[in-house]
Amino acid sequence: MHVDNLEVAINAHLPDILRRADLEKSTVKTLQKELESKLLMSLDTKKNYIRDQIEMYLKHGARHAFADSGEAPEQHGGAGKRGKAPRKRTVEKKKKSGRGKTKEVQDPTKPKGPKGPYMCFVGVRRPRLKQEKPTLSFPDISRQLGLEWRSMNAETKAKYVKMSEKDKTRYKNELEKYVPLNDHEMEKLREKQRERKAAGGLQVMYKCSPELAAFFNDGTVQINRKELTTRIWAYFKEKGLLDDSNRRYVFADAKLAAFLGMQAGDRFLAFTIQRFLKPHLHPL
């Protein structure tokens, strides 16, 4: 299989593997091994991509995680144009969104877009649902939210439509006051992005959010991902937060829950911790 088709092939097989897997016992490594056995090749170069897809699946379910995956590439023989067409389409797609491509720098001062009615509902309902049913997994929570939204009567739904309209007004007002960064300021941001990329992902230094700095409470204001992961795992072990029945899971104590936006006692997959930490790392 040509390397340009790897992500397409991964997306073709991974949903079925995840649906059949026992996610309480599986790890990214074991899921990757199963993929490799199906594709008959090493996927070490795609382990970060596989991890991202698994996290997306856990958060949103297969519909969102693999929405753009398409079908597995067909095997074509010969050297005719027909045999090369799928490869060409895949390459064009990777030019737009392939891993390793430098994303265009966004103006950090630009107002955040408005939420639609459904996202307003999710913002209100998800924390309550997690409290009511703490054993539900991320995919189950997403499915439950979707079911509740689809069965909601018009009167109740109107409340979230109103919230959405209010957020649109907020966005419109902020947009009127918004002054885009000039070309020089944007170029400085691009230069910082290039420096971070050259330094390598795990070693790039970030500014800690106030919540993260307060969590450490030792004067730490800058940190890289490698050190952050090491310190968070040390905290898990020091406080005895790893689930003894399945050490791939962690129970959040009050301090960790407040920092990560959870409820004390929430149980989550340890390898998803980066998703919770990401909002607390700000570019220097």
Side-chain angles (χ1 to χ4, degrees):
M1 181 174 293
H2 196 281
V3 68
D4 288 340
N5 291 329
L6 264 181
E7 291 181 4
V8 176
I10 289 169
N11 288 341
H13 292 285
L14 190 54
D16 184 56
I17 290 174
L18 288 169
R19 280 191 288 268
R20 291 186 289 103
D22 182 350
L23 295 179
E24 290 196 356
K25 297 180 180 179
S26 299
T27 64
V28 174
K29 187 174 182 179
T30 60
L31 294 170
Q32 178 181 323
K33 290 293 184 185
E34 188 167 351
L35 266 172
E36 289 174 342
S37 68
K38 284 184 174 292
L39 300 179
L40 302 178
M41 64 188 305
S42 172
L43 297 174
D44 285 344
T45 59
K46 293 293 181 181
K47 61 183 180 181
N48 289 333
Y49 177 80
I50 294 169
R51 180 186 296 274
D52 289 346
Q53 292 299 92
I54 292 171
E55 290 189 7
M56 184 71 74
Y57 177 90
L58 291 172
K59 185 176 181 181
H60 297 297
R63 182 178 178 183
H64 289 81
F66 307 101
D68 298 323
S69 63
E71 298 293 328
E74 295 180 7
Q75 298 294 326
H76 294 279
K81 292 182 179 179
R82 185 178 179 182
K84 293 185 178 181
R87 175 181 168 186
K88 182 178 180 181
R89 286 196 298 271
T90 304
V91 171
E92 288 174 353
K93 182 178 179 180
K94 286 175 72 64
K95 283 182 180 179
K96 294 180 181 178
S97 59
R99 291 182 67 84
K101 297 290 182 181
T102 301
K103 295 182 179 178
E104 178 58 32
V105 174
Q106 301 296 318
D107 184 346
T109 65
K110 186 175 182 179
K112 188 176 181 180
K115 294 180 181 178
Y118 177 69
M119 291 311 298
C120 290
F121 161 70
V122 169
V124 172
R125 179 61 178 144
R126 184 187 288 273
R128 296 176 184 172
L129 185 59
K130 286 179 64 177
Q131 194 169 16
E132 294 168 7
K133 301 180 180 180
T135 60
L136 282 184
S137 65
F138 282 111
D140 288 338
I141 288 175
S142 298
R143 281 191 286 270
Q144 180 65 29
L145 290 170
L147 287 172
E148 290 184 14
W149 178 256
R150 287 191 292 273
S151 62
M152 189 180 296
N153 61 49
E155 183 180 354
T156 305
K157 193 172 288 189
K159 178 176 70 172
Y160 299 106
V161 172
K162 187 176 181 180
M163 289 174 63
S164 176
E165 292 299 325
K166 184 177 180 180
D167 198 44
K168 287 178 182 177
T169 301
R170 183 271 312 164
Y171 175 68
K172 182 180 178 181
N173 292 338
E174 290 182 0
L175 205 58
E176 289 175 353
K177 301 175 184 177
Y178 165 59
V179 179
L181 296 180
N182 59 42
D183 291 344
H184 177 67
E185 291 169 324
M186 290 299 294
E187 183 55 36
K188 287 177 66 176
L189 290 176
R190 293 187 189 97
E191 182 60 31
K192 285 187 177 181
Q193 183 189 58
R194 288 191 287 268
E195 290 174 358
R196 289 197 300 271
K197 189 173 179 64
L202 293 177
Q203 300 296 336
V204 176
M205 296 301 294
Y206 291 89
K207 179 182 177 182
C208 298
S209 70
E211 295 81 7
L212 180 56
F215 178 80
F216 288 137
N217 196 29
D218 61 1
T220 299
V221 293
Q222 294 183 15
I223 198 167
N224 60 41
R225 289 182 183 275
K226 183 177 181 180
E227 183 184 354
L228 175 58
T229 301
T230 299
R231 293 184 66 173
I232 289 293
W233 272 91
Y235 182 83
F236 291 165
K237 294 175 182 177
E238 177 190 348
K239 301 298 182 180
L241 302 180
L242 294 172
D243 186 346
D244 289 333
S245 64
N246 188 338
R247 295 180 72 81
R248 296 182 182 88
Y249 281 85
V250 177
F251 288 105
D253 62 5
K255 182 179 179 181
L256 191 64
F259 162 51
L260 297 180
M262 301 179 176
Q263 299 290 327
D266 277 0
R267 181 173 178 262
F268 62 95
L269 279 167
F271 74 76
T272 65
I273 187 64
Q274 291 296 336
R275 177 164 53 82
F276 296 104
L277 296 175
K278 186 176 180 180
H280 296 282
L281 298 175
H282 304 305
L284 293 175

